[in-house]
């Protein structure tokens, strides 16, 4: 039994993180297609999920159509993950490999980059389902700026992106231990061609695609959850 009370032998939970315009959505879509072509049951999720009631409030904030206190928006981003936490865990335990385009690491990196205390930012995401692997797509902000669509939303400013990158590096150092004998955090050079990034991602993901035996853990928990 794992910390969520389910048996092991499940789908892998793979998160794609990175700076804006690092290619997360493009690579998550390519990875999904690759898995499905190989007949591996797989599903793609994205945070923020702008389709829920909470997600619609987040969307309006990101488009600068509404304003919110920094702490309030931080908690809404986290609540948006919690409202889908049960479906994440159910999909994994039904044997589906789950790809997730941004997750709790984005939540901490962006709010801490704005100046909120790091530990405060991390607290609401403690106990969410923990990824088996986080792929961090690293790209210089100057390179990201040259890519399509940059600058349309609230946080897409170069100085903010530099701060976010520092926060992601800290998160990577704290998450880089191994789980089930594998690295939990892998940095990918996202300044390469789309095809080269895809191949690097595949090398990191391939050992997980036929399922994982180790139990699903919860993020940043030091003690087991009550049964
Ligand atoms: N946010 C937060 O504050 N707290 C949270 O908890 C969460 C998020 C979850 C919206 O996120 C904002 O929410 C985001 C973080 C904050 N802040 N900002 N700004 P979003 O995920 O909805 O953002 P997005 O609009 O999808 O953009 P993105 O994710 O930053 O882009 P991307 O997915 O990384 O890149 P892409 O769409 O795949 O590619 C962008 C362009 O680059 C496109 O034209 C591609 O063809 C091109 N591209 C991709 N890869 C390459 C390579 N390798 N070479 C050349 N060109 C490439
Ligand atoms: Mg995206």
């Amino acid at each position: 039994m794992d910390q969520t009370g389910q048996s092991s032998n499940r789908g892998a939970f793979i998160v794609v993180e990175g700076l804006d315009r690092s290619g997360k959505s493009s690579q998550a879509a390519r990875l999904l297609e690759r898995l499905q072509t190989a007949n591996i049951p797989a599903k793609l999720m994205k945070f923020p999920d702008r389709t829920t009631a909470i997600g619609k409030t987040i969307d309006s904030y990101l488009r600068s159509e509404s304003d919110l206190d920094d702490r309030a928006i931080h908690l809404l981003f986290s609540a948006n993950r919690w409202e889908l936490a049960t479906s994440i865990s159910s999909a994994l335990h039904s044997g589906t490999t789950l790809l997730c385009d941004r997750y709790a690491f984005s939540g901490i990196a962006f709010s801490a980059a704005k100046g909120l205390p790091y530990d405060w930012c991390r607290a609401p995401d403690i106990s969410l389902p923990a990824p088996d692997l986080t792929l961090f797509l690293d790209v210089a902000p100057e390179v990201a700026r040259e890519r399509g669509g940059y600058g349309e939303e609230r946080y897409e400013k170069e100085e903010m992106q530099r701060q976010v990158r520092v926060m992601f590096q800290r998160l990577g150092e704290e998450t880089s231990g191994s789980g089930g004998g594998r690295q939990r955090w892998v940095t990918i050079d996202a300044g390469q061609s789309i095809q080269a990034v895809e191949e690097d991602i595949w090398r990191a993901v391939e050992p997980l695609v036929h399922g994982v035996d180790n139990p699903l853990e919860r993020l940043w928990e030091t003690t087991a959850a009550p049964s």
Side-chain angles (χ1 to χ4, degrees):
M1 295 287 251
D2 67 14
Q3 290 179 22
T4 61
Q6 310 261 335
S7 61
S8 49
N9 228 335
R10 56 182 174 81
F13 185 21
I14 298 163
V15 166
V16 184
E17 282 283 11
L19 301 179
D20 287 11
R21 299 300 180 264
S22 55
K24 298 177 297 297
S25 300
S26 311
Q27 293 296 338
R30 281 170 178 248
L31 183 53
L32 179 70
E33 198 183 325
R34 199 158 176 164
L35 292 169
Q36 288 175 337
T37 304
N39 287 322
I40 293 162
K43 191 180 155 190
L44 173 60
M45 300 181 85
K46 165 160 181 50
F47 289 109
D49 179 336
R50 303 186 194 217
T51 65
T52 69
I54 293 170
K56 288 189 173 101
T57 307
I58 294 172
D59 181 55
S60 156
Y61 171 84
L62 286 171
R63 292 170 186 274
S64 301
E65 291 166 4
S66 61
D67 226 344
L68 280 168
D69 176 85
D70 286 345
R71 286 174 174 76
I73 186 65
H74 180 77
L75 295 173
L76 287 176
F77 273 116
S78 179
N80 188 227
R81 287 183 277 281
W82 276 110
E83 65 182 337
L84 292 157
T86 307
S87 48
I88 291 176
S89 150
S90 305
L92 294 170
H93 287 111
S94 74
T96 301
T97 293
L98 200 57
L99 310 179
C100 193
D101 181 354
R102 289 195 194 272
Y103 196 52
F105 308 103
S106 279
I108 297 160
F110 279 81
S111 294
K114 284 201 251 179
L116 295 183
Y118 182 90
D119 289 340
W120 186 91
C121 293
R122 209 174 69 142
D125 285 318
I126 291 175
S127 300
L128 278 170
D132 298 296
L133 173 66
T134 300
L135 300 157
F136 176 61
L137 272 52
D138 193 24
V139 68
E142 310 81 72
V143 174
R145 192 186 50 202
E146 302 303 319
R147 296 184 177 171
Y150 198 71
E152 287 165 8
E153 285 198 333
R154 191 180 277 266
Y155 297 145
E156 295 174 349
K157 315 269 184 309
E158 215 167 304
E159 186 43 39
M160 173 74 177
Q161 294 299 320
R162 280 185 209 289
Q163 289 300 322
V164 169
R165 194 184 197 193
V166 169
M167 293 304 165
F168 269 127
Q169 278 159 356
R170 175 170 176 182
L171 283 157
E173 282 158 22
E174 289 178 5
T175 315
S176 62
S178 60
R182 292 177 297 268
Q183 277 301 110
R184 286 186 176 279
W185 183 283
V186 171
T187 299
I188 304 281
D189 175 4
Q192 309 174 86
S193 71
I194 293 186
Q195 293 74 14
V197 176
E198 183 181 346
E199 289 315 311
D200 280 1
I201 287 179
W202 185 250
R203 266 191 290 280
V205 162
E206 204 174 9
L208 296 174
V209 299
H210 296 294
V212 289
D213 291 329
N214 55 303
L216 181 62
E217 292 175 14
R218 292 181 185 271
L219 265 182
W220 301 305
E221 261 190 2
T222 46
T223 51
S227 50

